Amino acid sequence: MTCWTRNGHLLLDFVYSAEDGGEWDFETSFTLAPFTTLRTELAAGDRRPLYLAWLSALTRWELEEDVDEDEYTSTLEPPVPAGLAHLTGPQQALADFLRIDPYLLTAAARASGAAPSQAIGKDALAAWIRALPQHEKDALLLDAALGVAPQPGPALLARHRAGSHSAAEPSTATRRRSAAELLDAAHEVRTEHTRQQEQARAQARRAQQLARESHLDRLAENAEQAWQDVANLIGKKQPGPYDTAVALLKDLREIHDRAGTPGEFARRLHDLREQHRGKSSLMRRLTDAGLTSR
């Protein structure tokens, strides 16, 4: 992020440029629309976009080679703004555009207070505006009418909130962390996230296995009917029923293996293949599924 002043205005430039020098990918490029209200948020005193720019720099800095570890230890984060754990839509779009490590963002948000309420007390605001000096209100209206200055609304709201102690002020109760501490915390968040994902996948596999075993148990209770269903499906001489018959045969093979009667399954499969060997489409499906005669 770079900033400069011109004609009394502060200009901010958020940029993320790839180091590989590749051309812009129009399929995944960002449009301006999601970012347009960032200006209003900044003007209203919301400092989260500024902190996000610093996090983006830290994300890139971590990837650089030959960085002295002492630099990470000595570099402190900016004051942490409130509401970092619950970004607005434009702020999340900015975080995505700046390619901020989501685990780093989660770690940084741990030191952030709750987002300030955006509710505006109309009566209190009206009283505050009435108390503004007349010449200041005249100047604001003149600039707005001529379009020579940004719309005064966000800046006025920021001043009002600051005066009523409801602005999105940085957290002061928590000390500022070093870049090294934040990177270590991001690693812990990433590790915990990976552990939870692995645990969830293990639970899903276990649930699938239990469902599979329950299905086979029900099928084993009436295996003869299953064999008859296979014959009926094959008799339809259609691709869809063929596929269903093959799936059912694979289940029957597993049932016979569990019961210790694989020889019986092999015999019945051999008979079935001999009976329908003229059906090339079925034979191909059986072979592809590993259902071959022994």
Side-chain angles (χ1 to χ4, degrees):
M1 186 192 76
T2 56
C3 61
W4 66 96
T5 57
R6 179 177 296 173
N7 298 328
H9 305 304
L10 177 66
L11 305 177
L12 302 176
D13 185 18
F14 296 93
V15 176
Y16 187 98
S17 60
E19 295 182 345
D20 56 13
E23 295 183 356
W24 190 266
D25 183 0
F26 288 97
E27 295 297 325
T28 59
S29 62
F30 290 84
T31 61
L32 184 61
F35 309 110
T36 52
T37 57
L38 284 173
R39 179 184 178 280
T40 300
E41 294 175 351
L42 284 163
D46 194 328
R47 295 177 176 86
R48 284 175 287 183
L50 305 180
Y51 189 91
L52 291 175
W54 184 82
L55 280 184
S56 177
L58 181 56
T59 299
R60 288 286 295 272
W61 191 25
E62 184 186 17
L63 300 177
E64 294 180 5
E65 299 179 355
D66 302 327
V67 178
D68 192 336
E69 291 294 330
D70 291 340
E71 293 186 56
Y72 291 125
T73 303
S74 61
T75 301
L76 299 180
E77 65 179 336
V80 183
L84 200 59
H86 301 284
L87 301 177
T88 65
Q91 290 167 7
Q92 185 59 59
L94 179 64
D96 295 338
F97 172 72
L98 295 178
R99 301 187 185 182
I100 297 172
D101 179 356
Y103 303 110
L104 181 60
L105 178 57
T106 298
R110 289 175 174 174
S112 176
S117 172
Q118 297 301 310
I120 300 173
K122 188 175 181 179
D123 293 340
L125 179 60
W128 180 80
I129 291 176
R130 283 194 298 269
L132 289 174
Q134 186 65 42
H135 67 86
E136 184 177 357
K137 288 188 282 189
D138 291 343
L140 287 170
L141 286 173
L142 181 60
D143 287 343
L146 296 176
V148 297
Q151 290 299 315
L156 285 173
L157 285 177
R159 289 174 55 186
H160 170 63
R161 287 169 176 158
S164 60
H165 306 288
S166 61
E169 292 296 330
S171 302
T172 57
T174 304
R175 68 176 181 83
R176 291 167 64 182
R177 298 159 294 183
S178 69
E181 288 176 308
L182 277 171
L183 292 174
D184 288 344
H187 175 72
E188 293 176 359
V189 173
R190 186 183 297 105
T191 300
E192 175 61 19
H193 178 73
T194 301
R195 186 194 66 80
Q196 291 178 354
Q197 283 189 317
E198 291 176 349
Q199 185 180 45
R201 285 193 290 266
Q203 291 175 345
R205 288 194 297 268
R206 179 58 179 164
Q208 291 174 351
Q209 182 61 30
L210 290 174
R212 174 69 176 168
E213 291 176 358
S214 178
H215 165 71
L216 293 176
D217 288 342
R218 291 193 300 270
L219 195 62
E221 292 176 357
N222 199 351
E224 286 303 319
Q225 180 59 51
W227 280 105
Q228 184 59 50
D229 291 341
V230 169
N232 294 336
L233 289 165
I234 292 175
K236 294 182 179 181
K237 302 179 181 180
Q238 295 176 355
Y242 280 171
D243 291 335
T244 304
V246 169
L248 190 52
L249 282 169
K250 291 168 67 175
D251 288 345
L252 284 167
R253 179 174 58 186
E254 191 167 345
I255 288 172
H256 281 281
D257 287 342
R258 286 177 18 167
T261 58
E264 179 183 351
F265 175 81
R267 177 184 59 79
R268 299 185 72 161
L269 176 63
H270 173 77
D271 293 345
L272 185 145
R273 289 183 66 101
E274 286 296 311
Q275 180 183 356
H276 301 286
R277 60 183 177 181
K279 299 180 175 68
S280 59
S281 177
L282 174 63
M283 292 298 104
R284 184 176 63 255
R285 284 172 166 78
L286 292 174
T287 301
D288 291 345
L291 296 168
T292 55
S293 300
R294 297 177 183 175

